[in-house]
Amino acid sequence: MAAGQLALTVLMGVFLIAVAALLTRIEDWRSYTPLAGGGAIGEEAGYGHDEKPGGIVRWLTTVDHKDIGMLYGTYGVLAFAVGGIMAFLIRMQLIVPAGAIIENGFYNAILTSHGITMLFLFGTPIIAAFSNYFIPLLIGADDMAFPRINAIAFWLLPPGALLVWGGFLIPGIGTAQTSWVMYPPLSVEQTQMGADLMMLGLHLTGVSATMGAINFIATIFTERSEDVTWANLDIFSWTILTQSALILFAFPLLGSALIMLLLDRNFATTFFAVEGGGTMLWQHLFWFFGHPEVYILVLPPMGLVSYILPRFAGRKLFGFKFVVYSTLAIGVLSFGVWAHHMFTTGMDPRLRASFMAVSLAIAIPSAVKTFNWITTMWNGKIRLAAPMLFCIGFVSNFIIGGVTGVFLASIPVDMILHDTYYVVGHFHYIVMGAIGFAVFAGIYYWFPIFTGRMYQRTLAKWHFWLSMIGTNITFFAMLALGYLGMPRRYATYEFSETIAPLASVTTFHQLASVGAFILLVGQLIFVWNLVQSWLEGPRVGPDPWNLKEEAPELFGREFTWHENRLETQIATDGGDEEEVAADGGEPVETESEDDTAE
């Protein structure tokens, strides 16, 4: 076993060195970029994206930011499906105290993989899908600053996912059962090779995210059109810029800590051993990455909501500058709150007090955003299309998730609720109730640009209501379980009544499982709607949301590009026209069924 682990570690080291060598052999990265300063929206990049090969070769070789955005989106949705199935198995297991369907070791394995899949394989890539596709369009650039590095950043993700799931895919090597936080000594003492694969996969995803972050920073700084200044840069680009800066400081630290953990596992070093650096060293390193990671995941969804919500409220975002300032404030403060995950470790009380203060303070810029969203809707001309419904759902879930987080920032409260299901409920209100809802809002809002077609409006609203009801049933039940004292990460809970009232705990677990089933049905509707509408949905025109009539000042650059694309298709293909009623808008002219979207 030890020899196999050593060989695997050496193999992955050679692979990473080969990737680095390949990058250094690229003679002139700038030769693959558009002309300095970008260009007019709708112009093709200097290296000719319109001469693309067909079929699978196109997707394997593309450096077009739109194609890479689609690849990220497909990858993210597949990872979301895998992580969601794992979550559903966890909920089915906990229907009864003795465990309903799986044995404890497998429960620990899917618990570990669920967290890593949702945070690293779904959360970051699905945001990269939107940013890759739309950032160049929104800032008037032809493409990303480094298109080939952009492609490399994506193609590191599929092998990363296979490594993370390697314990399930390769018979006999054992699955990682460390939990997603990988605390030593548990993560060091486990002998399963699946844990090594998981850590190497995480390292690859971190390299991918860091490469992407550098690319976004370079693109937003250097490739903006002349008329795009810092004063009128759109809010989504501001959040991606802030997120990229956080990634640049946080992910390399995770990579370094993972290497040390792998060395402890395979070469008997003592970075995180009691006789060496100590087990708390891992917690400090991990959470110094881990809490900025929460904002790495949530800031771009905040940007999506800040961008989409005004378009269906019929007015500009209220307090735009303050939303930008609050974004930057969150980015700075996020690196000063990590130890609130460690209040129960016995750290110095004076340090705990300082981290409590910063943890409470970081709620202020989030509250600024929340009041700005609400004020934007106040007296607005609200159109309850599916993107707007998910934006409103985001705001309401984010309020619950944020307020429950403020309680955990208080040391006395955290000492009681730490490592209970209250933390799970709070965290999932943010991850699923807020981030997931913003992602769905972005998918529905830009679906006409992605596909040139309109989704089924009724199914989209069913998706929203099932997701909203399922989210609140599931995660509110978890908050109640936390107040009852139910510990998290337990495969069974046949404990004494002195720990928690077993009958009540069982009832709330069953309630959470019912909510999970409702969530599952909602996501099946989403997938069906996505695929069916992509293939057969009615084609849309240049203004699918009727923004030129409802809010002409909010007709974004990406729809100007979409309009130019359709004009090019008309000139090239010709065709008849049909009328399609946009979700929440008036019928718009559309292209013929013979036309194809890029």
Side-chain angles (χ1 to χ4, degrees):
M1 179 67 74
Q5 290 176 332
L6 177 60
L8 182 63
T9 304
V10 171
L11 180 64
M12 289 307 302
V14 171
F15 174 74
L16 292 174
I17 292 171
V19 171
L22 178 63
L23 290 178
T24 59
R25 289 181 62 84
I26 298 177
E27 295 180 3
D28 183 7
W29 289 350
R30 297 295 297 180
S31 67
Y32 302 111
T33 65
L35 298 176
I41 296 176
E43 291 181 1
E44 294 296 334
Y47 40 86
H49 284 328
D50 53 346
E51 296 295 334
K52 297 176 183 176
I56 190 66
V57 176
R58 166 188 173 182
W59 298 103
L60 292 176
T61 61
T62 182
V63 295
D64 183 355
H65 69 97
K66 299 182 292 296
D67 288 349
I68 293 172
M70 299 295 284
L71 289 170
Y72 268 110
T74 303
Y75 174 90
V77 170
L78 290 174
F80 181 72
V82 173
I85 292 170
M86 291 177 176
F88 188 71
L89 289 176
I90 291 171
R91 290 312 327 156
M92 294 302 103
Q93 166 74 358
L94 297 173
I95 287 179
V96 295
I101 57 174
I102 54 181
E103 54 90 21
N104 292 354
F106 189 70
Y107 176 89
N108 293 335
I110 62 172
L111 182 75
T112 299
S113 291
H114 164 70
I116 291 173
T117 297
M118 287 306 204
L119 291 177
F120 297 97
L121 306 184
F122 163 69
T124 309
I126 200 67
I127 292 166
F130 294 115
S131 51
N132 268 281
Y133 200 108
F134 291 107
I135 291 296
L137 301 181
L138 292 172
I139 66 174
D142 288 322
D143 205 299
M144 299 289 288
F146 306 115
R148 296 198 176 191
I149 293 179
N150 198 29
I152 293 171
F154 169 76
W155 286 110
L156 289 177
L157 287 176
L162 293 176
L163 287 170
V164 169
W165 300 328
F168 297 98
L169 302 176
I170 304 174
I173 67 169
T175 53
Q177 301 179 30
T178 62
S179 170
W180 75 278
V181 295
M182 296 170 283
Y183 282 173
L186 176 64
S187 57
V188 175
E189 294 173 352
Q190 285 191 2
T191 59
Q192 301 97 317
M193 191 182 293
D196 295 288
L197 293 178
M198 178 197 72
M199 294 171 195
L200 291 168
L202 279 180
H203 196 69
L204 278 185
T205 63
V207 172
S208 167
T210 305
M211 294 173 69
I214 295 171
N215 212 348
F216 282 118
I217 292 172
T219 300
I220 294 173
F221 267 88
T222 67
E223 302 297 329
R224 299 195 314 275
S225 178
E226 291 182 359
D227 61 331
V228 180
T229 66
W230 291 114
N232 62 12
L233 183 67
D234 65 278
I235 188 61
F236 181 59
S237 296
W238 272 110
T239 57
I240 292 297
L241 183 63
T242 308
Q243 180 216 34
S244 299
L246 297 184
I247 288 174
L248 209 56
F249 285 100
F251 267 91
L253 182 70
L254 175 68
S256 302
L258 285 170
I259 290 173
M260 288 189 282
L261 191 57
L262 283 166
L263 291 173
D264 275 10
R265 285 178 54 82
N266 295 285
F267 296 101
T269 55
T270 58
F271 289 109
F272 306 119
V274 174
E275 63 273 18
T279 57
M280 276 185 66
L281 176 61
W282 169 264
Q283 293 196 39
H284 279 293
L285 293 175
F286 181 83
W287 288 116
F288 188 81
F289 151 81
H291 207 84
E293 165 68 2
V294 174
Y295 296 104
I296 287 169
L297 293 175
V298 82
L299 280 175
M302 287 176 170
L304 285 174
V305 170
S306 299
Y307 188 84
I308 296 170
L309 184 144
R311 275 126 179 103
F312 295 94
R315 52 189 300 197
K316 290 184 178 180
L317 179 65
F318 179 83
F320 176 87
K321 288 185 178 179
F322 288 95
V323 177
V324 173
Y325 295 150
S326 64
T327 298
L328 299 175
I330 289 173
V332 173
L333 292 173
S334 66
F335 283 98
V337 301
W338 80 86
H340 71 219
H341 296 272
M342 302 168 59
F343 283 162
T344 61
T345 59
M347 62 188 300
D348 191 312
R350 293 167 294 181
L351 284 176
R352 288 193 312 190
S354 64
F355 281 107
M356 180 180 74
V358 180
S359 299
L360 292 171
I362 203 171
I364 296 173
S366 297
V368 169
K369 292 177 180 292
T370 301
F371 285 115
N372 282 27
W373 295 323
I374 294 172
T375 309
T376 301
M377 291 187 287
W378 190 266
N379 285 334
K381 186 179 179 183
I382 305 295
R383 293 187 293 158
L384 294 179
M388 185 61 164
L389 289 173
F390 276 101
C391 285
I392 295 172
F394 169 97
V395 175
S396 60
N397 291 335
F398 181 73
I399 290 172
I400 299 174
V403 170
T404 52
V406 170
F407 283 106
L408 289 174
S410 172
I411 294 171
V413 177
D414 185 77
M415 297 290 282
I416 298 171
L417 296 177
H418 187 79
D419 263 340
T420 70
Y421 260 83
Y422 183 92
V423 180
V424 183
H426 150 71
F427 184 65
H428 282 80
Y429 258 111
I430 298 296
V431 173
M432 179 60 196
I435 297 173
F437 274 53
V439 166
F440 291 136
I443 290 174
Y444 284 123
Y445 179 66
W446 281 318
F447 189 84
I449 290 183
F450 285 134
T451 66
R453 300 176 183 270
M454 181 55 71
Y455 55 81
Q456 296 185 49
R457 293 167 290 163
T458 301
L459 288 184
K461 291 179 179 178
W462 269 101
H463 175 215
F464 166 74
W465 285 111
L466 289 172
S467 297
M468 190 68 179
I469 293 169
T471 293
N472 281 276
I473 290 176
T474 301
F475 304 128
F476 202 86
M478 291 183 182
L479 295 176
L481 284 169
Y483 281 125
L484 290 171
M486 172 67 200
R488 56 178 171 165
R489 305 192 183 110
Y490 274 40
T492 61
Y493 49 98
E494 295 178 294
F495 40 63
S496 167
E497 291 284 343
T498 58
I499 298 177
L502 186 58
S504 299
V505 166
T506 304
T507 299
F508 278 109
H509 269 303
Q510 293 171 346
L511 193 61
S513 298
V514 169
F517 180 77
I518 296 173
L519 264 175
L520 176 64
V521 173
Q523 306 329 302
L524 291 175
I525 290 175
F526 164 69
V527 172
W528 167 260
N529 194 4
L530 196 71
V531 175
Q532 194 274 339
S533 299
W534 197 311
L535 296 175
E536 301 177 0
R539 293 191 175 275
V540 296
D543 187 15
W545 303 114
N546 219 30
L547 290 176
K548 287 184 177 179
E549 179 181 336
E550 300 290 343
E553 70 279 8
L554 297 177
F555 187 77
R557 284 173 170 265
E558 76 277 26
F559 281 105
T560 302
W561 172 84
H562 177 60
E563 185 175 27
N564 291 340
R565 176 176 63 174
L566 292 180
E567 290 175 358
T568 302
Q569 288 177 347
I570 292 174
T572 304
D573 301 333
D576 301 324
E577 297 178 346
E578 61 179 271
E579 289 196 351
V580 177
D583 188 351
E586 300 298 324
V588 294
E589 292 185 350
T590 63
E591 303 309 317
S592 72
E593 288 294 329
D594 296 329
D595 295 339
T596 57
E598 180 175 334

